[in-house]
């Protein structure tokens, strides 16, 4: 995982150029990434997601695909939000702008994501069975259904941040 400041700050997941994906731990073995002999791989399916976020079936669950750009991404549990680093001079500058970004964001369409528990965020090109050996971030979500919405915001003159907000629905 990439770190952009002193120890103790966020861990960021990066991709080699394709979309990032959050896969429930229980269905990781079913995500083949780009390692598939079929003509259309799971990675190809992830690349076809249109928009900032989308859902893809994986096993008996679904994975959340982070579309548009392959920005470094982390998770802020205090905001229940994935933060995507689009532009900022430093991690401190980016994180300082998150509250203003959340307040001013123009949110896109909402999707409903049902998860059986914790998810792993990683590069969609990798197979899920390799997740323990590759750059990933474990996000300890509670089982349930989440409303997911995404936006890009500019909280400062040279700071752009992508936001993927999760709101747990009553289950």
């Amino acid at each position: 995982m990439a770190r952009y400041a002193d120890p103790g700050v966020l861990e960021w997941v990066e991709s080699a150029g394709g979309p990032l994906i959050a896969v429930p731990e229980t269905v990781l073995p079913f995500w083949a990434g780009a390692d598939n002999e079929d003509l259309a791989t799971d990675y190809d399916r992830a690349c076809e997601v249109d928009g900032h976020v989308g859902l893809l079936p994986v096993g008996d669950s679904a994975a959340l695909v982070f579309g548009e750009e392959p920005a470094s991404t982390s998770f802020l549990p205090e905001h229940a939000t994935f933060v995507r680093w689009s532009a900022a001079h430093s991690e401190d500058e980016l994180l300082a702008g998150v509250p203003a970004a959340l307040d001013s964001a123009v949110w896109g369409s909402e999707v409903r994501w049902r998860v059986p528990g914790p998810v792993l965020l990683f590069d969609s090109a990798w197979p899920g069975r390799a997740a323990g050996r590759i750059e990933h971030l474990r996000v300890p979500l509670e089982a349930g259904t989440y409303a997911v919405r995404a936006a890009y915001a500019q909280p400062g003159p040279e700071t752009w941040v992508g936001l993927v907000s999760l709101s747990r629905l009553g289950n």
Side-chain angles (χ1 to χ4, degrees):
M1 267 173 266
R3 288 197 183 269
Y4 295 104
D6 296 329
V9 296
L10 295 179
E11 294 179 359
W12 297 84
V13 174
E14 298 179 337
S15 89
L20 294 174
I21 190 163
V23 179
E25 284 181 331
T26 60
V27 295
L28 280 172
F30 298 104
W31 182 260
D35 292 345
N36 195 342
E37 294 182 14
D38 295 336
L39 292 177
T41 65
D42 285 342
Y43 173 74
D44 293 331
R45 293 189 311 137
C47 289
E48 290 173 3
V49 168
D50 189 28
H52 299 303
V53 293
L55 298 175
L56 288 178
V58 179
D60 63 356
S61 191
L64 181 66
V65 179
F66 296 77
E68 298 295 318
E69 63 178 76
S72 295
T73 302
S74 194
F75 186 73
L76 297 176
E78 66 273 21
H79 297 290
T81 300
F82 288 96
V83 177
R84 311 198 71 210
W85 189 324
S86 293
H89 291 290
S90 69
E91 182 181 54
D92 288 341
E93 180 180 273
L94 181 84
L95 296 177
V98 168
L102 288 166
D103 289 342
S104 65
V106 177
W107 299 100
S109 299
E110 183 179 284
V111 297
R112 301 286 169 106
W113 185 31
R114 182 156 184 74
V115 297
V119 300
L120 262 60
L121 175 72
F122 59 96
D123 187 331
S124 62
W126 289 100
R129 67 183 181 283
R133 300 185 314 268
I134 60 169
E135 181 176 297
H136 70 278
L137 179 65
R138 184 177 188 269
V139 180
L141 297 180
E142 292 183 28
T145 302
Y146 292 81
V148 180
R149 58 191 184 147
Y152 278 88
Q154 184 179 5
E158 296 183 20
T159 304
W160 284 90
V161 61
L163 305 165
V164 178
S165 173
L166 307 179
S167 298
R168 190 160 187 265
L169 302 173
N171 298 58

